Amino acid sequence: MQLCRNIDFGLTWLCTAPSITTYRVNLLQTTTECYKDYVENLLKGRYKNSPKIYTLNDLPEVLCIGSVQTPETLKPNVKEQREIIVDGCCGAAVLRGAHIYAVGVLAMESGTKLHDIVNVYADLTGKCKKGTNIRFDSDKKVYLGQGRVLMQRYQLFVASGAKTGIAVEMLNTVSGVPSIGDLSSAKALLQNLPSIVCVRVLNPQKNEIILDMCAAPGNKTTHIAELMQDKGLIIALDKTVNRIALIEEKIKKYKFNSINVYAYDATKSFDGKLNNETANDIKPPFKAETFDRILLDAPCSGLGNRPILVVKTTAKMLDSYPRIQRKLINNAVALLKPGGCLVYSTCSINTSENEEIVAWALAQHSDLELEEAVPILGSKALPCEGLTERQRGMMQRFSPDTKKFDTVGFFIAKFVKKPI
């Protein structure tokens, strides 16, 4: 089933939602088995045939939830049920198991009542006007599934004040992903599997000094703190103040003491004029060789975040990302201690943002060498000029080729800075 019709680069798998949902359990707060019991009981009360729930030997903090049905089993009842329209972004979240919040509703037909079962569609054209009260007629609206109405039209489009709360509780989706919303709490966090693998590849240790260069919204930052048992120092940077607030919110929720957050542009994080006499505090900008480990989850095109229902990225935007990624790597190499490691990752499928960046980094920095990015749960990197077959096997990509884990498109590489 092809969900998005705006993608023209032949990678239709990007239009479909991953078949597994993953939570990262905070092992400082609970156990994976305890959280598994909680999720199993929740799903048993919601589904007659509960999806498979399982753990992973290589990642003891991960809980995986399988699908509940295939797309062919669900069809819209166009005569008896009214329609709800959401935008492409909200539609993608719905296919990943989210409910529909008030802000996400574009259209609701007149006469729709509280607790009605409705057909939910995503508008891929961007032409559905907010507040539309008639059936939206378009050959580019995509059926997502069925939901139960929890808020009426006047609450969504007439009443004053901010529109908050769940407007439509999803009962099922064509993706087969369980419609349970986000169960994130201090005990566990909804997070894509490759993002969790990324921090395991970094392998942070207690009492180290670690830099998370582009940290917002803080999911990987908190994972680092958990693996370090909140002992050591983690510096989290992000240049946007509003996004920094997301990290601070997580720090407060998890009660971490090891994380310091700064609103700072990571492309300017290294200052070559600083030395041991002029830089006593560890705050940006930093002197050379400050950090034991650095995580660079780089700004990227995001063309791996499934499902993609609408593509808004332009060729000019695609060209801009490698320039930023190279600047960030230059800063990271300068800030890394000899013998330290740098993990580079993106949620993009483009070789220009992944393999080509790695090849460039190795050519540009003679003190860098690749190290196997273990644990390897993905497939090897794509062919690229400047990379050997052995080097391709040291990196990992997540895609449909990764048959064991149907997740988002992602890339991970691990560098080590050679000792002096």
Side-chain angles (χ1 to χ4, degrees):
M1 177 178 176
Q2 186 171 333
L3 290 175
C4 58
R5 306 168 191 177
N6 292 25
I7 287 183
D8 58 5
F9 44 81
L11 297 170
T12 54
W13 63 273
L14 287 171
C15 309
T16 61
S19 60
I20 62 168
T21 302
T22 48
Y23 279 86
R24 191 193 86 228
V25 179
N26 182 354
L27 298 182
L28 301 181
Q29 298 277 345
T30 186
T31 66
T32 309
E33 283 302 316
C34 284
Y35 197 74
K36 181 181 177 183
D37 290 342
Y38 162 70
V39 175
E40 282 180 337
N41 289 331
L42 186 149
L43 290 171
K44 284 177 182 178
R46 189 171 183 85
Y47 294 101
K48 184 177 180 180
N49 298 312
S50 296
K52 180 182 177 182
I53 303 178
Y54 55 99
T55 56
L56 302 175
N57 291 334
D58 289 335
L59 300 169
E61 67 270 42
V62 172
L63 187 68
C64 299
I65 306 173
S67 298
V68 292
Q69 60 186 32
T70 59
E72 290 76 20
T73 62
L74 185 62
K75 303 294 181 184
N77 186 338
V78 296
K79 291 184 178 180
E80 297 181 13
Q81 295 175 352
R82 289 183 166 83
E83 295 182 1
I84 297 287
I85 306 293
V86 300
D87 63 23
C89 182
C90 180
V94 166
L95 292 175
R96 291 296 303 271
H99 298 305
I100 301 173
Y101 285 80
V103 69
V105 180
L106 292 178
M108 176 184 284
E109 289 185 81
S110 294
T112 303
K113 299 176 182 177
L114 204 61
H115 304 308
D116 275 356
I117 306 301
V118 292
N119 297 315
V120 178
Y121 291 84
D123 168 34
L124 304 188
T125 65
K127 294 181 179 179
C128 182
K129 294 182 179 179
K130 187 84 170 180
T132 297
N133 63 358
I134 60 175
R135 183 159 294 192
F136 179 64
D137 187 19
S138 172
D139 63 352
K140 289 190 176 181
K141 67 180 182 183
V142 171
Y143 180 60
L144 304 178
Q146 296 175 323
R148 178 184 291 110
V149 175
L150 300 184
M151 296 178 71
Q152 296 175 281
R153 277 193 56 82
Y154 79 92
Q155 294 172 285
L156 296 171
F157 307 121
V158 179
S160 60
K163 309 300 187 293
T164 60
I166 296 175
V168 181
E169 177 192 16
M170 293 303 298
L171 303 177
N172 47 50
T173 64
V174 294
S175 66
V177 175
S179 297
I180 53 177
D182 186 351
L183 304 179
S184 294
S185 65
K187 293 184 177 181
L189 182 72
L190 178 64
Q191 191 174 5
N192 289 322
L193 177 63
S195 296
I196 302 171
V197 174
C198 188
V199 173
R200 277 290 180 174
V201 171
L202 184 68
N203 192 28
Q205 303 296 310
K206 287 190 293 185
N207 301 318
E208 289 184 328
I209 303 173
I210 295 179
L211 174 63
D212 189 349
M213 292 189 82
C214 305
N219 296 345
K220 296 182 186 69
T221 314
T222 55
H223 190 193
I224 293 170
E226 288 168 22
L227 294 181
M228 294 172 66
Q229 297 182 31
D230 201 25
K231 295 177 181 178
L233 176 62
I234 304 164
I235 302 292
L237 303 182
D238 202 277
K239 68 179 182 179
T240 307
V241 174
N242 289 343
R243 287 171 61 79
I244 283 292
L246 298 175
I247 308 175
E248 292 173 334
E249 183 181 327
K250 285 187 173 68
I251 293 171
K252 185 177 180 181
K253 178 189 291 186
Y254 289 89
K255 299 179 181 178
F256 286 124
N257 298 309
S258 58
I259 305 171
N260 290 346
V261 186
Y262 298 94
Y264 202 87
D265 184 350
T267 64
K268 303 174 182 178
S269 55
F270 168 62
D271 188 342
K273 297 178 182 179
L274 296 176
N275 54 46
N276 290 333
E277 295 179 358
T278 57
N280 295 320
D281 296 329
I282 302 178
K283 60 182 180 181
F286 309 102
K287 66 182 178 67
E289 301 178 358
T290 296
F291 297 97
D292 298 294
R293 300 175 198 266
I294 297 176
L295 175 61
L296 173 50
D297 185 43
C300 67
S301 61
L303 292 177
N305 286 318
R306 303 167 55 199
I308 299 175
L309 301 188
V310 179
V311 176
K312 296 182 180 180
T313 306
T314 65
K316 184 177 180 180
M317 292 167 65
L318 286 176
D319 289 340
S320 70
Y321 289 112
R323 291 196 293 271
I324 297 171
Q325 291 154 358
R326 287 193 288 267
K327 286 182 181 179
L328 289 165
I329 284 182
N330 283 337
N331 276 261
V333 174
L335 295 175
L336 192 62
K337 294 178 181 179
C341 81
L342 162 65
V343 171
Y344 175 81
S345 65
T346 76
C347 54
S348 175
I349 59 170
N350 293 340
T351 55
S352 62
E353 300 178 71
N354 298 322
E355 288 87 353
E356 290 179 23
I357 290 292
V358 172
W360 170 86
L362 293 173
Q364 185 77 14
H365 298 281
S366 59
D367 53 349
L368 280 188
E369 59 184 2
L370 275 179
E371 187 171 283
E372 191 174 29
V374 293
I376 292 182
L377 281 75
S379 304
K380 68 180 180 180
L382 295 177
C384 175
E385 184 178 351
L387 296 177
T388 66
E389 190 69 17
R390 178 176 175 273
Q391 288 172 326
R392 286 177 58 200
M394 298 173 79
M395 298 174 273
Q396 55 182 318
R397 269 182 172 260
F398 288 81
S399 69
D401 294 335
T402 317
K403 297 187 179 3
K404 187 177 179 182
F405 300 107
D406 179 22
T407 181
V408 298
F410 207 88
F411 176 85
I412 306 173
K414 182 178 183 179
F415 300 95
V416 173
K417 191 173 183 179
K418 299 175 186 177
I420 298 175

